Amino acid sequence: MYSAVMSMSTPERLIEATRELLWERGYVGTSPKAVQQAAGAGQGSMYHHFAGKQELALAAIRRTADELGAAAETVLGGEGSAYARIEAYLLRERDVLRGCPVGRLTMDPEVIADPALRAPVDEALGLLRARLAGVVQEGLDRGEFSGALDPEEIAATVVATVQGGYVLARATGSRAPFDSAVRGLLALLGPRAAVAATPTAL
Amino acid sequence: MYSAVMSMSTPERLIEATRELLWERGYVGTSPKAVQQAAGAGQGSMYHHFAGKQELALAAIRRTADELGAAAETVLGGEGSAYARIEAYLLRERDVLRGCPVGRLTMDPEVIADPALRAPVDEALGLLRARLAGVVQEGLDRGEFSGALDPEEIAATVVATVQGGYVLARATGSRAPFDSAVRGLLALLGPRAAVAATPTAL
DNA sequence: GTCTATAGGCCGATAGAC
DNA sequence: GTCTATCGGCCTATAGAC
């Protein structure tokens, strides 16, 4: 991990340092100087590779957004019933107290005010919802869930529960409320569905 | 509204201005200077009434947290079935694109790092969850919901859906995903419960 | 209570030498 | 590519006059 960082090119180190700082402190709370120190790069070096704070943040946000999509696809494109895949998404390993590196940006006034910075955030969360809606639709087609459910609504509820779970966990300083929220959602989504799907999947 | 602001004492105006700025820009993004300008108060005046940024923010956060509790109680302490009250909480009027003034602070590194600033946030969200859990328990006692549900988990899911709904709405720039998430949750919580409770409530 | 003055340091960026 | 120097302005206070 650290050796990987040390062997990176300067632009790479700058982007990775920016990703970390954006995650922890947001755009408003991240200064070029802090990025340079974290990346071990000088002032002139940073401005040689990137036009400024915004351009650097854009590169960092794009990468983080792409990673979110890839991670979601790994879990949602896996084996099993629709319920099982949604469960896998919800129970996936997470650094709960750090929150979501993409969702976090949504609370930053300067990210929201800048269309270029907001675009990757919007897209990543939109794709995630669409992908989840597809899985819910599959489950509906297979009769896993009650027929009254709207796939896009359930997808929004699933993503919102995760994003809001981070809020509750950070408020408390413990991941417990996140886990509660997820278990509550699974209980509402689940029992009958899981059983119904078993014959086909397992 | 504005006349009310203008007739307020200087400390009051400072607190209200801080509340607005904290909501929009967070603690990290809010400067004493910006507060002074928004409140129409001078530098010396602000530091006469408050020791500094942290003390001012503490007063503002406490008030916002208290308001959250009062607003929740208004809706959750009302008439109707448990389902109806949770529905009322979820459908309550909200400035969705502005997000939650309390939940927002959870993404601020300096609020989370400062126990004094975090405490009111933690307490407000904790009380909200407890209050909702009580309502769910009532619903369970009256047979409104499926017996398998855990009140604290469902309460966490409800609050998380709202908090996460804000994230989705702000990412998109539209309240639509918030409404979807809420409708999805109501669909999961609901139909049978709503019908079962109707005889008593309506 | 409110004002102005002052402080040392960071903010985000630009310029130009090496 | 990376460095140092420099910029005007804001950050968060503090000091002391009025």
Side-chain angles (χ1 to χ4, degrees):
Chain A
M1 199 63 177
Y2 276 99
S3 56
V5 168
M6 295 200 287
S7 69
M8 291 166 89
S9 68
T10 298
E12 269 314 298
R13 275 182 289 120
L14 284 165
I15 291 175
E16 288 304 313
T18 303
R19 295 216 298 153
E20 286 303 307
L21 284 164
L22 245 27
W23 192 358
E24 192 181 327
R25 305 189 48 85
Y27 186 79
V28 161
T30 297
S31 69
K33 187 181 186 186
V35 170
Q36 291 151 208
Q37 287 175 338
Q43 194 109 320
S45 186
M46 192 201 100
Y47 281 101
H48 172 75
H49 295 289
F50 299 92
K53 177 178 173 176
Q54 196 254 16
E55 194 178 300
L56 189 44
L58 187 51
I61 293 174
R62 283 209 181 108
R63 184 172 297 183
T64 299
D66 288 348
E67 270 192 15
L68 179 81
E73 187 52 39
T74 297
V75 166
L76 294 176
E79 300 290 299
S81 66
Y83 177 87
R85 280 178 287 157
I86 292 170
E87 184 181 35
Y89 168 73
L90 286 167
L91 298 178
R92 166 193 152 202
E93 253 194 90
R94 284 188 165 87
D95 205 340
V96 173
L97 290 179
R98 291 192 79 186
C100 173
V102 174
R104 205 244 110 100
L105 299 170
T106 254
M107 292 302 142
D108 197 300
E110 297 187 13
V111 169
I112 294 306
D114 182 336
L117 294 179
R118 206 194 65 192
V121 173
D122 187 13
E123 196 195 331
L125 258 13
L127 287 175
L128 175 58
R129 283 199 286 141
R131 187 67 178 88
L132 271 163
V135 174
V136 172
Q137 182 62 61
E138 278 182 52
L140 246 24
D141 292 344
R142 296 183 195 158
E144 277 184 53
F145 305 123
S146 148
L149 301 181
D150 176 315
E152 319 238 291
E153 287 180 4
I154 299 303
T157 305
V158 170
V159 179
T161 298
V162 168
Q163 294 294 327
Y166 289 129
V167 169
L168 300 182
R170 285 176 63 91
T172 304
S174 145
R175 64 169 295 152
F178 179 96
D179 293 330
S180 290
V182 163
R183 278 197 297 269
L185 179 60
L186 284 171
L188 291 173
L189 258 179
R192 40 198 167 142
V195 173
T198 311
T200 327
L202 294 179
Chain B
M1 200 64 175
Y2 276 99
S3 56
V5 168
M6 296 200 286
S7 69
M8 290 166 89
S9 67
T10 298
E12 268 316 295
R13 274 181 291 121
L14 285 164
I15 291 176
E16 289 305 312
T18 303
R19 296 216 297 153
E20 287 302 309
L21 284 163
L22 246 27
W23 192 357
E24 191 180 327
R25 304 189 48 85
Y27 185 78
V28 160
T30 297
S31 70
K33 188 181 186 185
V35 170
Q36 290 151 210
Q37 288 175 337
Q43 194 108 322
S45 186
M46 191 201 99
Y47 282 102
H48 171 74
H49 295 290
F50 298 92
K53 177 178 173 176
Q54 196 255 15
E55 194 178 300
L56 189 43
L58 187 51
I61 293 174
R62 283 208 180 110
R63 184 172 298 182
T64 299
D66 287 348
E67 270 191 15
L68 179 82
E73 187 51 39
T74 297
V75 166
L76 294 176
E79 298 291 298
S81 66
Y83 177 86
R85 280 178 287 158
I86 293 170
E87 184 182 36
Y89 168 74
L90 287 167
L91 298 179
R92 168 195 150 200
E93 254 195 272
R94 284 186 165 89
D95 205 340
V96 173
L97 290 179
R98 292 193 78 186
C100 173
V102 173
R104 205 244 112 99
L105 299 169
T106 254
M107 293 301 142
D108 198 301
E110 297 188 12
V111 169
I112 294 306
D114 183 335
L117 295 179
R118 207 193 66 193
V121 172
D122 187 12
E123 197 195 330
L125 258 13
L127 286 174
L128 175 58
R129 283 199 286 141
R131 188 67 178 90
L132 272 163
V135 174
V136 173
Q137 182 62 60
E138 279 182 52
L140 247 23
D141 293 343
R142 295 182 195 160
E144 278 184 53
F145 306 122
S146 147
L149 302 180
D150 176 314
E152 319 238 293
E153 287 179 4
I154 300 302
T157 306
V158 170
V159 179
T161 298
V162 169
Q163 294 293 328
Y166 289 129
V167 170
L168 301 182
R170 285 176 62 91
T172 303
S174 144
R175 64 169 296 152
F178 179 96
D179 293 330
S180 290
V182 163
R183 278 197 297 268
L185 179 61
L186 284 171
L188 291 174
L189 259 178
R192 29 186 179 150
V195 174
T198 310
T200 327
L202 294 180

